[in-house]
Amino acid sequence: GENVGQHPSTLSVQEGDSAVIKCTYSDSASNYFPWYKQELGKRPQLIIDIRSNVGEKKDQRIAVTLNKTAKHFSLHITETQPEDSAVYFCAPSISGGYNKLIFGAGTRLAVHP
Amino acid sequence: GAVVSQHPSRVICKSGTSVKIECRSLDFQATTMFWYRQFPKQSLMLMATSNEGSKATYEQGVEKDKFLINHASLTLSTLTVTSAHPEDSSFYICTGGQGAGDGYTFGSGTRLTVV
C-alpha cells in the first residue's frame, strides 16, 4: 500500500512570507496528487491538485510542484495571510477509478500578523 | 461540483449505545464512499470503503462488527458505531465523488462524543 510522508508537521511564518510543505509517497503507480486544507472543526477542502503528466500547477498564491522520479510533491503558498492558517494534508492517489485517499500526517501552518 | 450531506453534525451518546451516521450524495450517484476517522490533532485515517450493493471493505485494525457500514442505495451510505465506548469519541467523516482523479468531496463530518 501507499506510504505517505509529510513535513514539516508544524510551520510558523510571518504574514507575507512563503510557506512550503513537502509530501513523499511510495507507490510509483500514483498519478494524482491533491492538497487539502482543513480549518479547525471543518471538513477538508481540496485547494489544488496535479497529475503526473504535469510538473507544476499554479492558482494565484498557491502552487504545487511534482517530482515523480523522486516521488515527492510540494505545496507552495506565497504572500501568506492569516486566513491561510490551517492544517494541510496531502493525499497521493491513483486516478481513473474510486481509489482511496491515504492522507499524510498533516502540517499545521500558523501565519502570524 | 459533487455535494455530500452528512448527518448528524454532532452527537453525544451514552456508553454502550449505538449511533448511526448518514452520508448522502445530493447530485451524483455514489457507487463508492469512504469513511474516515480523525482524532484531535491527527490525520484522517481511512476506516472502510463503502460499496453500493455489496459488503464494505475494512482497513486493517478496524472492527467490522463494531463499525457497521450499509450502502443500500446509490445516494446513501451509513456508518453505525455499535456499543460505543469513550475511546470511540472522534470526528467521523465520509467522502465520495466521481473518482479519485476528480477530487473527492467530503461530508461536513460528525463529532461523536461517548460519555
Side-chain angles (χ1 to χ4, degrees):
Chain A
E2 180 81 276
N3 288 319
V4 182
Q6 185 176 337
H7 62 92
S9 56
T10 60
L11 182 58
S12 182
V13 300
Q14 289 297 125
E15 183 176 0
D17 287 351
S18 295
V20 181
I21 303 169
K22 185 175 180 179
C23 183
T24 59
Y25 62 96
S26 62
D27 190 349
S28 57
S30 293
N31 59 4
Y32 175 64
F33 308 96
W35 284 97
Y36 287 83
K37 174 183 180 182
Q38 186 180 32
E39 298 177 349
L40 189 62
K42 296 189 176 180
R43 76 186 89 188
Q45 300 272 10
L46 177 68
I47 57 171
I48 196 166
D49 57 14
I50 195 170
R51 299 173 198 280
S52 59
N53 58 341
V54 177
E56 182 175 355
K57 182 178 178 180
K58 191 173 182 180
D59 182 4
Q60 298 183 353
R61 298 187 296 109
I62 296 173
V64 54
T65 57
L66 171 66
N67 185 327
K68 207 160 190 301
T69 302
K71 294 181 189 169
H72 66 76
F73 61 111
S74 296
L75 174 69
H76 304 254
I77 305 175
T78 59
E79 301 173 36
T80 53
Q81 300 169 3
E83 51 264 39
D84 294 329
S85 296
V87 181
Y88 292 82
F89 295 98
C90 63
S93 180
I94 301 172
S95 66
Y98 297 103
N99 295 300
K100 56 190 177 185
L101 298 178
I102 302 300
F103 287 84
T107 297
R108 188 171 300 276
L109 173 65
V111 180
H112 302 285
Chain B
V3 178
V4 176
S5 175
Q6 182 172 348
H7 296 279
S9 58
R10 290 178 181 272
V11 59
I12 300 173
C13 72
K14 291 185 176 180
S15 189
T17 62
S18 296
V19 174
K20 179 185 282 188
I21 302 169
E22 293 188 349
C23 271
R24 292 181 183 275
S25 58
L26 299 186
D27 55 358
F28 69 100
Q29 293 185 329
T31 304
T32 299
M33 298 277 275
F34 301 96
W35 287 93
Y36 290 83
R37 178 168 56 182
Q38 186 176 34
F39 292 109
K41 296 188 178 181
Q42 293 189 23
S43 186
L44 294 95
M45 300 302 298
L46 180 65
M47 299 176 67
T49 302
S50 170
N51 302 298
E52 185 270 334
S54 64
K55 291 183 179 179
T57 304
Y58 290 82
E59 295 298 303
Q60 190 172 11
V62 177
E63 300 174 59
K64 61 181 180 181
D65 294 331
K66 180 171 181 63
F67 299 100
L68 301 179
I69 289 175
N70 185 280
H71 196 149
S73 78
L74 284 171
T75 59
L76 176 64
S77 175
T78 62
L79 167 67
T80 301
V81 183
T82 64
S83 187
H85 292 287
E87 55 265 34
D88 298 323
S89 298
S90 187
F91 188 62
Y92 293 86
I93 192 164
C94 61
T95 187
Q98 307 288 14
D102 298 303
Y104 291 125
T105 298
F106 284 85
S108 54
T110 297
R111 185 158 303 283
L112 171 64
T113 303
V114 185
V115 298

